[in-house]
Amino acid sequence: MTSVIRYVQNTTTAANVNTSVVSTGGDYQLVAFDITTAAGIAANANANILTWKGAGKIKAISSVFMRRSTTGEVIPMGAVAQNTHTTITLDATGKIINIALLAGATPIPTNTVISLLLVIGNY
């Protein structure tokens, strides 16, 4: 599924400041992906879960949601303790998304559906 969106990026200059924003920016695609893990990702491990081969680059990861396809169980992305969370990063090329679990993180089991909403465009 793909839709065209206006992507606007802004930075606030101080805490609790309401920044005035207009709709300048660029038109990008909002693309939804469901990726099912054929193998699990253990705590203290990482995996590249998506490599974008299309035109342009991934501008932003808008949303990530993980659930087991067999049970519907939601896989948590993190906790309060810094050693138990999951990170999702976009490499410098704008093409590869990696998911990394710290040592105390909840493992991502086999047959987990990782749902991503990505902003993708030519830039």
Side-chain angles (χ1 to χ4, degrees):
M1 172 176 57
T2 301
S3 61
V4 176
I5 61 165
R6 173 62 53 126
Y7 180 77
V8 178
Q9 195 172 25
N10 200 330
T11 303
T12 187
T13 56
N16 299 317
V17 173
N18 213 355
T19 304
S20 177
V21 179
V22 296
S23 67
T24 58
D27 290 338
Y28 295 88
Q29 295 180 60
L30 184 63
V31 185
F33 290 92
D34 276 343
I35 301 162
T36 302
T37 58
I41 304 170
N44 208 29
N46 72 80
N48 290 338
I49 59 168
L50 183 135
T51 299
W52 176 248
K53 296 287 188 177
K57 298 179 184 179
I58 301 167
K59 178 71 173 168
I61 302 168
S62 289
S63 175
V64 178
F65 181 77
M66 295 186 289
R67 71 186 178 327
R68 294 203 58 187
S69 61
T70 54
T71 64
E73 173 190 8
V74 173
I75 308 299
M77 293 283 297
V80 176
Q82 284 295 316
N83 66 337
T84 64
H85 67 271
T86 300
T87 60
I88 297 185
T89 55
L90 177 61
D91 80 331
T93 68
K95 297 282 192 174
I96 300 171
I97 295 176
N98 181 275
I99 190 165
L101 286 66
L102 295 181
T106 301
I108 299 171
T110 302
N111 295 319
T112 295
V113 177
I114 303 173
S115 298
L116 301 168
L117 278 178
L118 305 178
V119 177
I120 300 175
N122 294 321
Y123 60 97

